[in-house]
Amino acid sequence: MRAFIEECSRRALDISLHSKKLSNLERGRLLDILLWAGELFLLLRAPRLTFHEFPASSEGQALSRATS
């Protein structure tokens, strides 16, 4: 699964860097792929967390600390 996530990230980055005719929407979608891939990779490194418990933002981290 890690190899798949890394491959998706690598290809999204390659496309965004080498394609000159991408619209802002297409670039945004590629950025979304990179962001989600990063979050999934972190989840794989910390399997004790479930997706629901994973703080996706600084607000989530603050909320997570407040409820602990």
Side-chain angles (χ1 to χ4, degrees):
M1 191 174 289
R2 287 182 186 173
F4 175 74
I5 293 170
E6 287 179 21
E7 179 72 16
C8 289
S9 298
R10 196 173 304 117
R11 287 185 185 240
L13 185 60
D14 286 343
I15 291 169
S16 66
L17 291 175
H18 296 108
S19 297
K20 298 181 191 231
K21 295 185 178 184
L22 293 176
S23 68
N24 285 339
L25 178 61
E26 292 167 327
R27 288 188 191 278
R29 288 178 178 165
L30 289 169
L31 180 59
D32 280 343
I33 291 169
L34 287 170
L35 292 173
W36 278 108
E39 289 190 24
L40 288 172
F41 191 76
L42 288 176
L43 282 174
L44 286 175
R45 291 185 64 189
R48 67 189 178 281
L49 297 176
T50 64
F51 185 74
H52 180 31
E53 297 170 336
F54 186 75
S57 67
S58 58
E59 290 176 12
Q61 291 173 350
L63 180 62
S64 192
R65 281 180 269 171
T67 59
S68 296

